[in-house]
Amino acid sequence: MNQIEIQTLIADKPLVKKLIQLQPCSWFNPDTTTLAIGLPYVGLDQIDIKKASERLNRFAPYLALAFPETATTKGIIESQLVEITNMKQALEARYNVAIAGQLYLKKDSHLPISGSIKARGGIYEVLTYAEKLAIENGLLSEHDDYSKFYSDKFKQFFSQYRIAVGSTGNLGLSIGIMSAKLGFQVSVHMSADAREWKKKKLQDHGVNVIEYEQDYGVAVEQGRKAAESDPKCFFIDDENSTTLFLGYSVAGERTKQQFNELGIKVDKDHPLFVYLPCGVGGGPGGVAFGLKMAFGDNVHCIFAEPIHSPCMLLGVYTGLHDKISVQEIGIDNITAADGLAVGRPSGFVGRAMQRLLDGYYTLSDQDMYDLLVLLDKTENMQLEPSALAGMQGPVIVTNNSKYLERMQFTHQQLQNATHLVWATGGGMVPKEEMQKYLNLGKI
Ligand SMILES: *Cc1c(COP(=O)(O)O)cnc(C)c1O
């Protein structure tokens, strides 16, 4: 975009100016709808989620064998839901606000295998592909015991196939580790911001890591190109994959079950607010879809992005979706938040989910570091910076009286509310790296 085009856009969409100035800001979409109205636009439904859930159940016996850390949950990859009352108090003090309701953390940061939310979608997509190949080649029927994947015969079979993906780090970790374990040849095209330790870990697992000096968009494009010329190579498309999206969506019903087990109500009188860090959108979009299908109109999903990479806010707010990138309006897309350094949002997720997402906000990297230290101090939990993006959410919602009034929440409903911060990564960060993060917080 040239200057004139940018000025025209700002005249119509004034918030763009704030984004360009890198001011933290929020936008609560006045055009959101009920689930009943918004669902047809998603193009996926409850049956799709059920199939994904069943596929994960079929693979559970294999996962329990291949990754012994999942044996205690019988091969089901799921994270804990924990209350963080000390952190809630610390947030109230830091931002000088009283947050009504309870504060919980969903610890995808500590999911087995890859220590991030990508252990949902990434692993699910690899398993889906492996199952398809095995069935097509007469090695498997859906009624078999999937432990048989844990064998030299299957590994040998998969070794003739290749998988490729572009990643800023965590998706590469999930897809790389899972694919290599099954026996695939796997290449991960890593953007410049990917951490050394993540590349090293992948190489240790026998993954071919290809490094780029550019950002995520370029790594994806190059990966896609390399795969196109190779008929035995399957390219996992983070930007548009409904399979990835469905892998994430299974989180909805499981989270509902966890709330039930904890005796926490979610209904009209007990609203649930969920804060999800957003990169390209597949992870938070898929989880939000699952949550909507599980809790209906009683769940309110809000996306969080770095001020340097507000791609989803920009795409949905302007209605341009993947037709606009943050770089085109002069934002550099440079952030320390792994997984969130994405300049162009998924067009699929934005178009599918925009009616079902209540709002979006941005925050600075320094805020993420500060919140990282605060969580470490108050709850002794260590996450990577991006996973803290959602932590400001309860404050932003509490302070947004316009949104709360439009939604007609009563005082009592807000008192009964649950705020759930989706912690998306950090469980595998090496100690020295974590110490570096902790040193950057100014608390
Ligand atoms: C990938 C990632 C996200 C966001 O997921 P998208 O699908 O890219 O939107 C958030 N946090 C962490 C730690 C991630 O790795």
Side-chain angles (χ1 to χ4, degrees), residues 310-324 345 350 354:
C311 69
M312 190 58 78
L313 198 173
L314 179 67
V316 176
Y317 171 69
T318 60
L320 294 170
H321 299 289
D322 55 351
K323 301 280 182 290
I324 191 167
Q354 56 187 343

Side-chain angles (χ1 to χ4, degrees), residues 116-118 170-171 238 248 277-284 338-340 342 384 386-387 424-425:
S116 80
I117 188 172
K118 303 296 192 310
N170 287 337
L171 185 66
D238 190 22
Y248 290 115
C278 179
V280 74
D338 286 28
L340 308 189
V342 178
E384 61 186 303
S386 40
T424 46

